[in-house]
Amino acid sequence: MSGFRIMSGGNIDRSRVVRFTFDGEAYSGFQGDTLASALLAGGVTLWGRSFKYHRPRGLLSAGVEEPNALVTVVRSGIREPNLPATQVEIFDGLVAESQNRFPSLRFDIGAINRLGGPMLVAGFYYKTFMGPVLGPLKGTRFWMVCEHFIRRAAGLGRAGYKADPARYERMNAFCDLLIVGSGPAGLAAANQAAASGKKIVIAEMEPNPGGFARWSRDTIDGLPAAQWAQEILESLTKRPNVTLLTRTTIWGSYDSGNYAGLERVTDHQATTVQGAPRHRHWVIRAKTAILATGAFERPIVFPDNDRPGIMLAGAVWRYLSDYGVLPGKTTAMFTNNDSAYPAAYAVAQAGGQVSVIVDVRPNPSIDMRELARKSGAELLCGYAVTGTLGRRELSAIRVQKFDMDSGTISGSPRTIDVDCLAVSGGWSPAVQLASHAGDVPAWDAKKLAVHAPSDVPERLLAGASSGAERLGLQVALEHGASVGQAATGTKSRRKLKSPTVEADPLGVEAAPVLNIDAPGKTFVDFQHDVTTDDIRLAQREGFVSPEHVKRYTTLGMATDQGKTSNAPGLAIMSGAQSPAPSSTTRYRPPFSAVSLGSLAAERHSEFKPDRLTPMHDRHVESGATFYPAGLWHRPMIYGEPGETIEQAYVREADGVRKSVGIVDVSTLGKIAVKGPDAGIFLDSVYTNTFSKLPVGKARYGLMLREDGIALDDGTTWRLGQNDFLMTTTTANAGKIMLWLEYCLDMLWPDLRVHLTSVSDEWAAMAIAGPKSRDVLAACVTGMKVDNDTLPFMGIVNGHISDVPVMICRLSFSGERAFEVYCGAGHGTHVWDALMDAGSDQAIIPYGMEALGTLRIEKGHVTGTEIDGRTTARDLHLDWMLSKKKPFVGSAMMDREGLIDQNRQTLVGVVSLDGQP
C-alpha cells in the first residue's frame, strides 16, 4: 500500500467517519480531511492525466497550488470541474470524478499522444494548423478542418448542462485594516493591530486558521505552535472590532484599497441550511492591507519528474502532521535547502522509512546532518536525482554525482527503491496579490524567486510573502508584529517583545539549482506538459520576454497559474539567455478559481427589492409567467392550460395582428426634463432635434456614447414649452439618469434644466392592433381619439373611468398602437377598464415574448441590438443623425472603423412562404 493513515496525530476528528466516492469506488475518511488527504490515506496514487500527453499524474502539493489532482465534484446532478482535490473538503455523500481520461483513469487511450511527443513541441499548433498546406487545404482551411477535433480534445474537466439551483450572495465590507492570511505572520500582525481598536478583517483561505503553525513541531513562548495560534485566535475573535472570514480567498487586489474575495459557505456540507448561499462574493474596501500570504514551495525539475509519488517536501510534511497520512512506505528526499530535513525527521518520527536524503549542496550544515542521522536516512551530499522509474506510480529513483558550480552530473547512476520522493527547491514568496495593482514583480536570480513590488502605505507585506532575507517562525512572528504596528499608525511605548521560539534551525537561502540537466523528458509545467526543451526552443525561436515565452509554450497558463512552475521556468530562462530576465510575467486576478455564480450574485435576498408594476396582481390572475428584467418582474406569456411557451406567444402575437392586445409597459424608464433650456439639453444628448418639437407631440430619439456607439433609444414627449417626459429602455433607466446628470453637472453646468426620475409615478400600458382605436373610443371621455385629434406621435389628455390619463399614439411593434399613462395608483383600475372596453373586440393581454416577436417583424431595435457594439448606421438609423447640430458622440461617430462598409449591420429577413 503506497499511502496509509497513521494511528494517531493530525488535526482531524477520528470519531467522525465520512464516506464518499471517487470514480464510482467507495472510500472513507475523517471529518477535517480534504479529498486529497482522504484518498491518499486510502492508497490512491493516480489522480489524473496531463493535458497534452495524458501522462499519469499524482498529488504534488497540499494546497491551492496543486496542478495535477484536479477533480469534478457532482452534487445533485450539477457538475463542477477542475477543482483541486487539495481544496475539496469531504462530506458524507460526496461524489468526485477524475478528469481528462477515457475510458478510465488507469487505461486512457489519450496516452497515445506520447508517441507524438517529438512533434507536439512548443508552438506546434501555430506552425501546423495555420501554415500553408499543399493542395486544397491552404492557409487557414486546414485549421478549419482540424478545429472540430481540436476543440473536442481541449480542456480538462467537463462542465454540466443543468441549471445551477444554488444561491449566491454578494457582500460589501469596509475596514481600517484587511489582513490576508492567518499564518504565524498574519496572526502576529492581527494581534498587534487589534489593540488599536480599528476595524479589522482577517481573511483565511483554509477552513482552519493558523497556517504552518497548525502542523509545526515548533514551540512559541513554551506552547506548541498550534496551541499558541488557537489562543491568539480565541483572543482576536472576542474583540468586537475583529472579523474573521475562513474559507475565504482574496482573489483580486485593485486600486484604492479594493479587494475581491470568495467565501465558500456551504461547499463542505452535505446538506445546507435553507436559504444559505453556496458562495459569497466579498468586495472589501480597506484603508490598509497586510498581505501575509506566505510562500509556495518550488520543485526541482529533473528527467521523469512527473511520476505519481513525487511530491513537494512541505506537502509530505503537511499530510503527515495535519491529516495523519503518510504518503509512502519508503521515502526519499531531494533538496537544495534545509527545509526538507525537518520534513524527513517528521516522517521518521511517524514510523515511516526515509531511505535517503539527496542534497545538491556539497556541505549542508551540521544541524541538518544531525537531523538526517536522527531520521535514519543515508545522506548523499553533492548528488542529484537524474531520473525515476515506475509506470503509473514511482518505484525507484536514479541518483548521480552533481557539481553545483558547473551544473553537470558525473559517475554511474545509482538506483534506489522508493515509492515516495519528496522534493524541495526552496520557497517563493506568494506575491500575486501584491502584484495585481502594482508593478511587475522582480526576478532575483540569486534566490531563484520573484519579489513583490515595494510596499506602499496602503499595502504592506508580512512574513514569507515579503521576501524577507531570513525565513523561519521567529522571523515571521517578529516581522508580522512590526507590520501590524505600522499598519495601525500607532507607536508602542515600549519595544515590541519578541516571542521565545524553539524551532529547527534553517539556512537562509536555497542553493541556486532548480533544474538538473540530464537526458530525458523534464517537466516544468505539469498540467500543460511544458518541458525544459519547450522553453529553450521558444528562446531559440526569438521569444525572449517571459510574457512571450509564457504564451508560446503555455507555461504557467494552466488552472494553477504557474504557482509551482514559474520559478523553475524563469530559472531555466535565466540560464538560457543573456542578460537574465529581470522580471516574471505579470500576475493578474484571479489568484485562484472564482465561481461565475458568485460574480453574478445579487446581494442578500432580504436587501434585494422586487419591483412589481401597478398591474402585477392582474397579470398573476390572468395566468402570467414572469421573468426578471433587472429588478422588475415582467409577464413573459399568459399561458393557457397545456400551452408551451412557443404556443402561447404565437397565439398572443396573432391576436394583436388580427384584433387588439394590451401590454404592460410601466417598467420603461421615465425622466421628467424641465427648465428653460430643456430643449437645448435634449438636442445635445439626442442625435436628432427636440427643441423644435411642438407641444403635444412626441418624437423617437437615439442617444450615442461619447465614442459614437449607440447608447439608448426611446420617445420623448413635449408636454409644455419647458416640460418634457423622456422614456428609456427598462434596462438602461438608471444608467441614462446617471448619464444625463453627469452631462448637466460636468459638460453643460450652465444649462437651466432640472431632471427627475418619475418611473414609479406612472403606470403605462400599450394598446396595439387594428382594433386599438375602437377600444379607446369606447372608454375615453373628455377627448376624441380619432385620427385628426390624435395623429401619429400626437398626445391628448382625457379620462378613462374617471381617471385622468395621457395618451400618445406611437408603436414599438408596427401595429397601430397607443400608450396610455395614468397615475401609478390607478393602474389596475385603468387596465380593467380597457379590458372591459375591448371585450367585444376579443382583447388579450400579451407578454414580452409576443412583444419581442412583433417588434422583430417590424424591425424595431431594442437593447438586444443596442448592445454596446453597434452604431446608428449599423442599425440603419443614420437618418436620425442631425447634420445641423453637434451632439454627444457626433465628434467620433465617423471614425474609420465605425463607417467601414464591411461592418455587420442589421438586416430584415422575409419568410419564403409569406407567413409571419
Side-chain angles (χ1 to χ4, degrees):
M1 189 176 185
S2 55
F4 55 91
R5 183 88 63 180
I6 60 176
M7 297 303 296
S8 62
N11 297 307
I12 51 175
D13 185 352
R14 295 173 184 261
S15 67
R16 299 176 62 185
V17 177
V18 179
R19 293 174 175 81
F20 62 96
T21 65
F22 178 64
D23 279 349
E25 188 172 344
Y27 291 90
S28 66
F30 296 119
Q31 187 69 32
D33 265 324
T34 64
L35 182 62
S37 64
L39 287 178
L40 195 62
V44 174
T45 56
L46 180 60
W47 289 79
R49 296 280 177 164
S50 63
F51 175 73
K52 190 192 299 184
Y53 300 126
H54 285 247
R55 289 172 69 102
R57 292 287 159 79
L59 274 175
L60 179 72
S61 73
V64 70
E65 70 270 29
E66 176 58 40
N68 293 335
L70 302 181
V71 298
T72 295
V73 170
V74 184
R75 191 192 288 250
S76 301
I78 307 301
R79 303 176 60 84
E80 185 172 13
N82 301 329
L83 298 176
T86 52
Q87 298 294 102
V88 176
E89 298 176 63
I90 62 171
F91 54 84
D92 273 319
L94 171 69
V95 177
E97 299 175 356
S98 58
Q99 303 182 159
N100 199 41
R101 79 289 187 276
F102 179 81
S104 69
L105 188 56
R106 294 192 67 81
F107 179 76
D108 177 23
I109 61 175
I112 197 172
N113 288 356
R114 281 180 279 178
L115 299 177
M119 296 183 295
L120 302 179
V121 295
F124 78 94
Y125 29 81
Y126 301 121
K127 304 167 189 174
T128 305
F129 302 111
M130 301 304 290
V133 179
L134 297 178
L137 300 178
K138 293 183 178 180
T140 59
R141 293 181 183 176
F142 185 53
W143 164 253
M144 301 303 290
V145 172
C146 299
E147 181 182 20
H148 170 75
F149 302 99
I150 293 173
R151 292 197 181 281
R152 285 181 64 87
L156 291 168
R158 178 175 59 85
Y161 295 96
K162 291 186 178 181
D164 185 359
R167 273 194 65 239
Y168 297 87
E169 286 183 353
R170 181 174 51 184
M171 289 286 288
N172 288 303
F174 299 83
C175 61
D176 297 305
L177 176 63
L178 169 66
I179 300 177
V180 184
S182 67
L187 289 179
N191 192 44
Q192 184 66 33
S196 68
K198 294 186 176 182
K199 189 174 182 180
I200 299 172
V201 173
I202 306 171
E204 170 55 51
M205 179 170 56
E206 298 283 346
N208 301 298
F212 171 72
R214 296 181 64 247
W215 60 88
S216 168
R217 296 188 303 113
D218 303 336
T219 63
I220 304 172
D221 289 336
L223 297 175
Q227 183 179 342
W228 172 88
Q230 185 61 36
E231 291 185 1
I232 293 293
L233 283 166
E234 291 175 357
S235 171
L236 289 172
T237 52
K238 289 178 181 178
R239 292 180 176 270
N241 62 315
V242 177
T243 300
L244 174 64
L245 299 175
T246 57
R247 297 186 176 92
T248 302
T249 304
I250 302 299
W251 59 261
S253 169
Y254 299 90
D255 294 340
S256 304
N258 290 326
Y259 293 83
L262 178 71
E263 181 183 3
R264 303 179 301 280
V265 182
T266 59
D267 277 353
H268 61 292
Q269 299 174 355
T271 57
T272 59
V273 177
Q274 186 176 4
R278 179 185 170 219
H279 291 164
R280 183 178 290 123
H281 187 263
W282 288 85
V283 176
I284 301 175
R285 295 168 175 86
K287 293 180 180 178
T288 308
I290 294 176
L291 306 183
T293 49
F296 293 118
E297 191 168 20
R298 303 185 295 253
I300 302 174
V301 298
F302 51 88
D304 293 322
N305 59 326
D306 64 329
R307 297 192 193 281
I310 301 175
M311 303 174 64
L312 295 172
V316 170
W317 192 352
R318 182 175 181 187
Y319 282 118
L320 175 64
S321 301
D322 202 12
Y323 301 107
V325 178
L326 195 61
K329 291 181 179 179
T330 306
T331 302
M333 298 280 172
F334 179 32
T335 187
N336 65 1
N337 68 96
D338 287 355
S339 64
Y341 288 82
Y345 182 66
V347 170
Q349 288 289 97
Q353 179 184 354
V354 183
S355 62
V356 63
I357 298 177
V358 182
D359 195 331
V360 297
R361 300 173 298 178
N363 294 301
S365 68
I366 296 176
D367 292 322
M368 295 304 104
R369 291 175 182 271
E370 179 61 19
L371 275 179
R373 186 192 65 79
K374 290 180 178 179
S375 304
E378 178 185 2
L379 180 58
L380 297 177
C381 302
Y383 278 78
V385 175
T386 57
T388 65
L389 301 175
R391 191 179 176 193
R392 295 192 186 96
E393 58 188 32
L394 181 69
S395 62
I397 61 172
R398 293 194 189 99
V399 298
Q400 289 179 264
K401 288 285 292 181
F402 177 75
D403 187 303
M404 200 170 70
D405 294 329
S406 63
T408 58
I409 57 176
S410 61
S412 300
R414 173 185 168 188
T415 301
I416 303 173
D417 293 336
V418 296
D419 60 357
C420 178
L421 174 61
V423 181
S424 178
W427 299 81
S428 294
V431 299
Q432 284 82 355
L433 283 179
S435 307
H436 286 174
D439 298 326
V440 177
W443 168 248
D444 187 331
K446 182 180 179 182
K447 294 184 178 180
L448 301 178
V450 293
H451 292 289
S454 301
D455 282 343
V456 294
E458 62 273 10
R459 186 198 68 231
L460 306 171
L461 287 89
S465 62
S466 68
E469 288 297 321
R470 294 187 296 127
L471 296 176
L473 188 57
Q474 182 79 46
V475 175
L477 294 173
E478 292 177 356
H479 192 220
S482 174
V483 171
Q485 186 182 79
T488 53
T490 58
K491 292 185 178 180
S492 177
R493 294 181 180 179
R494 55 189 177 85
K495 186 178 179 181
L496 288 173
K497 179 185 176 182
S498 296
T500 302
V501 175
E502 292 184 10
D504 292 312
L506 299 178
V508 176
E509 295 178 354
V513 176
L514 286 183
N515 174 46
I516 304 301
D517 254 331
K521 217 168 188 63
T522 304
F523 290 91
V524 182
D525 188 309
F526 294 106
Q527 196 175 122
H528 276 179
D529 284 325
V530 180
T531 66
T532 55
D533 290 339
D534 290 327
I535 296 173
R536 288 164 180 158
L537 174 64
Q539 292 184 305
R540 289 198 303 271
E541 295 187 350
F543 296 94
V544 177
S545 164
E547 292 279 4
H548 295 160
V549 172
K550 171 182 176 179
R551 279 152 182 79
Y552 193 64
T553 64
T554 71
L555 172 69
M557 293 176 65
T559 59
D560 66 322
Q561 289 292 286
K563 293 180 177 67
T564 58
S565 61
N566 272 349
L570 285 166
I572 293 164
M573 290 180 63
S574 179
Q577 72 178 60
S578 181
S582 59
S583 68
T584 180
T585 59
R586 179 181 292 280
Y587 295 106
R588 297 176 176 86
F591 169 75
S592 59
V594 181
S595 60
L596 294 177
S598 68
L599 294 176
E602 298 293 344
R603 302 183 190 279
H604 280 296
S605 58
E606 57 265 32
F607 298 128
K608 172 187 172 183
D610 286 324
R611 301 192 71 180
L612 309 178
T613 70
M615 292 80 81
H616 180 81
D617 290 343
R618 287 293 181 269
H619 304 322
V620 174
E621 293 169 4
S622 300
T625 300
F626 297 89
Y627 56 27
L631 296 176
W632 290 101
H633 292 260
R634 302 195 71 178
M636 177 174 63
I637 58 167
Y638 296 84
E640 295 182 350
E643 272 190 330
T644 64
I645 294 177
E646 180 181 5
Q647 290 169 338
Y649 83 73
V650 169
R651 172 181 54 79
E652 293 170 9
D654 191 56
V656 174
R657 296 189 200 98
K658 293 178 178 178
S659 182
V660 62
I662 182 171
V663 62
D664 188 350
V665 293
S666 303
T667 62
L668 292 175
K670 307 173 196 73
I671 302 171
V673 184
K674 296 185 178 184
D677 298 326
I680 298 173
F681 176 66
L682 292 173
D683 285 349
S684 300
V685 296
Y686 276 123
T687 63
N688 47 338
T689 303
F690 281 80
S691 58
K692 297 180 180 180
L693 180 68
V695 175
K697 295 284 286 185
R699 181 168 291 166
Y700 177 63
L702 176 70
M703 293 183 187
L704 303 184
R705 300 187 324 209
E706 291 178 302
D707 60 0
I709 297 295
L711 174 62
D712 196 55
D713 72 330
T715 59
T716 292
W717 308 4
R718 192 162 199 170
L719 308 180
Q721 185 62 32
N722 299 324
D723 184 3
F724 294 82
L725 177 64
M726 175 190 292
T727 67
T728 72
T729 57
T730 298
N732 285 337
K735 182 170 71 173
I736 295 303
M737 183 68 188
L738 292 174
W739 165 244
L740 295 178
E741 289 178 332
Y742 165 80
C743 290
L744 277 180
D745 291 342
M746 305 301 295
L747 304 183
W748 307 294
D750 296 331
L751 291 182
R752 296 166 296 170
V753 179
H754 188 76
L755 303 173
T756 305
S757 175
V758 292
S759 297
D760 293 332
E761 301 300 316
W762 294 96
M765 53 220 84
I767 311 294
K771 301 294 185 180
S772 56
R773 193 190 299 273
D774 297 336
V775 174
L776 288 178
C779 64
V780 174
T781 60
M783 179 60 66
K784 293 181 179 180
V785 291
D786 58 14
N787 193 59
D788 292 333
T789 307
L790 186 54
F792 182 63
M793 288 295 186
I795 304 170
V796 299
N797 291 281
H799 289 78
I800 294 178
S801 191
D802 297 328
V803 173
V805 295
M806 183 168 57
I807 305 171
C808 181
R809 181 182 164 191
L810 57 86
S811 174
F812 287 100
S813 61
E815 312 296 336
R816 177 185 294 163
F818 303 83
E819 286 191 2
V820 180
Y821 278 46
C822 67
H826 300 292
T828 302
H829 185 70
V830 173
W831 178 276
D832 291 343
L834 288 168
M835 290 292 290
D836 290 341
S839 58
D840 294 339
Q841 310 295 341
I843 189 171
I844 60 170
Y846 64 101
M848 301 311 297
E849 289 293 311
L851 179 61
T853 299
L854 294 167
R855 71 95 185 166
I856 289 172
E857 289 177 3
K858 302 305 187 294
H860 176 71
V861 300
T862 65
T864 305
E865 291 79 31
I866 304 177
D867 62 357
R869 299 177 296 174
T870 53
T871 68
R873 294 182 179 87
D874 297 339
L875 304 173
H876 297 290
L877 296 176
D878 45 314
W879 56 272
M880 299 180 67
L881 302 175
S882 174
K883 296 180 175 59
K884 298 180 180 179
K885 67 177 182 71
F887 49 85
V888 173
S890 60
M892 302 188 72
M893 68 181 184
D894 293 327
R895 287 177 292 158
E896 182 178 356
L898 299 187
I899 60 175
D900 188 342
Q901 295 298 313
N902 293 322
R903 284 181 63 87
Q904 292 184 347
T905 60
L906 187 68
V907 297
V909 179
V910 179
S911 63
L912 294 177
D913 60 4
Q915 297 299 312

